[in-house]
Amino acid sequence: MKRSVLAKIAAGITAAATLAVLSGCSGGGAGSGDVLTIGMPNGPQSNNSNPFAPTSSASVLGYRGMMYEPLAQINPTLPDRDPVPWLAKEWKWSEDYTSVEITARDGVKWSDGEKFTADDIAYTFEMLEKYPAFNTNALPFDDISVSGDTVKLSFDVPEFINQTKVINQFIVPEHIWSKIKDPEKDANQKPVGTGPYTLKTWTQQAISFVPNTDYWGGKPKVPEVRWTSYTDNNAMLTALLNGQAQWSYVFIPDIEKTYVSKSETNKNWQPTGLGIDALFFNTTTAPFNDVAVRKAVNMVVDRKAINTQGYSGFKGLVDNVNGLPSPAGDSFAAPEYKDKKAEIDVDGAKKVLTDAGYTYSGDKLMDPSGNPVTFTLVDPAGWSDYLASLQIIADNVKQIGIDAKVDTATVDNWTAAVQNGDFQATLHWTNTGATPWDIYSNIMDGTQLKPVGTTANWNFGRFDSPEATAALAAYANTTDDAERTTAMNTLQKIFVDEVPAIPVAAGPMGAEYSTKYFTGWPDEKDPYAVSQPTQPSVSQVLMNLKPVKK
């Protein structure tokens, strides 16, 4: 990483230590049925509630979903289930998925009393079109128009793949955001939304929300919601165990023993979908600009050790060479990759390297120019599962003569570094979709390809494959099932042959929570929503919670 980023990391770690003391003193609603405390292990935050900014506290912690609501609520863990109308009363796609008509829900008001209208929906999508950094799904807008209470969005290409992402978009008020001079940088410290809660106070210790008294969905039954950002996974677990926090999504080693068994009201539900954790390679810089190195590293990574030791079994093992989680991805597997598992092959990895012109000086791998091969693995400080997994990978590559070190960063600095291409390798998740398209698009899509130094929403490794980009477009645009299967098979072959990333785990979209003071949580018996508090469904869950009768 560049020296400027390292300096920021050092400052962030110092700030994190400070926050540990602050958050430990905050109380956080412990032992009270009047306050629900949501915690995340994301370290120090700044007072920024911009819902579009990926590094704002509203986005990182997830509380934006309490104020800014989507057109419809979707459940990525049950992709076959129909979306639930939310700010949209209804929507209708054209047969070729190049346009959609969205009808605004009646009787909705913004938290400042202004009426919610179709113009707000149109303006939000116009902002996505105007500011590419906001358009994280790279929606190719053609036209946006309003007629009465209906908005029509037209696109340059079919949006079959993105249809749920369009209707899951949160909406902001035109009368507020049209007056903001620089929406990309504005901290939005007085947010106005349609959601069930409004911001009461923002401090480093706790961010407090109270019910929106004019909420269109009725009065929320949770009297107050507080968000706290803890320094790391261990601090978050401690807060859950002592009741300081009652809802989180955090890695917990041996979760049944260390959390669930400690109280009959401690619950854990971690459903998965078609999303994965993968080691993203920066393919623009050495050593990962050479496919031989990527292949060799892939051949020695111990996925089972990562699963059992790095993740402590918290996430599902992904060991198929095509990177698809099982069983969700089994039906999409190309014939040549069905049940084909990644196996450790140190001798084979060394042969791949020497065939590509690499040599050995003693037990050290030297590149074709005679320089030692080294690289740095980075993830946020406090993310113990990711960091433990990175250390396993660093140990693995020693077998082929590579010296790798593990570095840490604050969440903000890591996010910026990854988006700008200022890294060599990092563990990161992919989106979860109704098909594996999101996995491959997030890693290989040329439509998301950005020069190093500019913000990328996905394809952080700057993998440049016109063939992969064409296959992704073909899959998304065709209406023929056979053509879609051919495109998916092509994507898998490119992924296996070119190794733009190494899949290691299936990404759960779950939560740890307590039923001591509130009931109505989504679970395996009633999976009405994604339980993870960072998702747009946070408002859906909160409206379903009820205080336990005393």
Side-chain angles (χ1 to χ4, degrees), residues 463-477:
F463 181 69
D464 189 0
S465 170
E467 185 182 7
T469 302
L472 287 162
Y475 188 90
N477 297 337

Side-chain angles (χ1 to χ4, degrees), residues 64-405:
R64 68 181 179 183
M66 300 173 59
M67 303 177 294
Y68 297 103
E69 298 185 291
L71 295 167
Q73 297 282 8
I74 64 170
N75 191 337
T77 67
L78 297 171
D80 293 337
R81 180 168 291 192
D82 290 337
V84 178
W86 215 250
L87 289 185
K89 181 166 58 179
E90 59 184 7
W91 55 91
K92 184 178 181 180
W93 285 91
S94 62
E95 289 187 7
D96 62 358
Y97 289 93
T98 59
S99 67
V100 60
E101 294 184 353
I102 302 168
T103 302
R105 180 182 289 275
D106 301 322
V108 178
K109 290 183 180 180
W110 295 101
S111 56
D112 62 358
E114 292 288 326
K115 183 181 178 181
F116 164 79
T117 70
D119 290 329
D120 296 309
I121 299 174
Y123 182 77
T124 300
F125 284 105
E126 287 169 357
M127 288 186 69
L128 301 190
E129 184 178 28
K130 182 177 181 180
Y131 300 101
F134 293 175
N135 190 8
T136 56
N137 294 311
L139 298 175
F141 294 102
D142 177 40
D143 186 55
I144 301 171
S145 61
V146 177
S147 177
D149 62 354
T150 299
V151 178
K152 183 176 182 179
L153 306 176
S154 299
F155 304 94
D156 293 331
V157 296
E159 291 303 294
F160 173 81
I161 289 298
N162 288 325
Q163 56 180 296
T164 56
K165 296 174 185 175
V166 172
I167 60 174
N168 198 225
Q169 173 61 45
F170 63 80
I171 306 300
V172 298
E174 179 183 20
H175 69 279
I176 298 292
W177 285 82
S178 61
K179 298 175 183 177
I180 296 177
K181 293 182 178 180
D182 191 348
E184 291 183 289
K185 296 181 180 179
D186 193 274
N188 189 38
Q189 293 182 352
K190 296 181 179 180
V192 173
T194 60
Y197 288 85
T198 59
L199 178 63
K200 178 183 179 182
T201 57
W202 201 108
T203 70
Q204 283 260 308
Q205 294 95 325
I207 307 165
S208 297
F209 296 83
V210 293
N212 178 354
T213 56
D214 205 18
Y215 182 54
W216 63 269
K219 183 180 179 181
K221 295 181 174 61
V222 179
E224 182 176 344
V225 180
R226 293 181 192 167
W227 287 75
T228 297
S229 186
Y230 294 89
T231 53
D232 55 28
N233 292 352
N234 290 333
M236 186 69 253
L237 173 58
T238 299
L240 287 168
L241 289 173
N242 65 24
Q244 189 178 36
Q246 299 89 41
W247 190 9
S248 182
Y249 172 64
V250 59
F251 164 68
I252 299 177
D254 197 3
I255 191 168
E256 291 296 322
K257 179 180 179 180
T258 57
Y259 173 66
V260 176
S261 68
K262 300 301 182 182
S263 171
E264 62 180 10
T265 58
N266 288 352
K267 306 296 181 180
N268 172 56
W269 186 48
Q270 303 289 343
T272 60
L274 284 169
I276 62 171
D277 281 358
L279 184 70
F280 281 66
F281 293 130
N282 188 337
T283 63
T284 68
T285 185
F288 298 121
N289 57 352
D290 188 342
V291 66
V293 176
R294 302 199 300 268
K295 285 184 176 181
V297 171
N298 185 43
M299 293 169 72
V300 298
V301 168
D302 190 339
R303 291 162 172 80
K304 291 181 180 179
I306 291 173
N307 176 255
T308 59
Q309 300 171 33
Y311 289 107
S312 289
F314 184 76
K315 297 183 178 182
L317 172 66
V318 175
D319 59 355
N320 192 294
V321 295
N322 62 10
L324 300 183
S326 181
D330 292 349
S331 63
F332 297 95
E336 62 267 39
Y337 303 128
K338 284 186 181 295
D339 300 320
K340 188 173 182 180
K341 306 299 184 182
E343 302 290 345
I344 297 173
D345 184 359
V346 175
D347 291 338
K350 288 182 177 180
K351 186 177 187 305
V352 167
L353 291 166
T354 54
D355 286 350
Y358 291 79
T359 59
Y360 281 90
S361 175
D363 60 355
K364 298 295 183 183
L365 181 67
M366 313 299 287
D367 68 21
S369 298
N371 299 310
V373 178
T374 65
F375 61 83
T376 298
L377 301 147
V378 64
D379 269 298
W383 291 14
S384 55
D385 51 342
Y386 274 23
L387 296 177
S389 299
L390 292 184
Q391 189 58 57
I392 290 171
I393 295 170
D395 293 340
N396 293 157
V397 299
K398 289 179 181 179
Q399 300 174 90
I400 53 175
I402 297 177
D403 182 18
K405 68 175 182 177

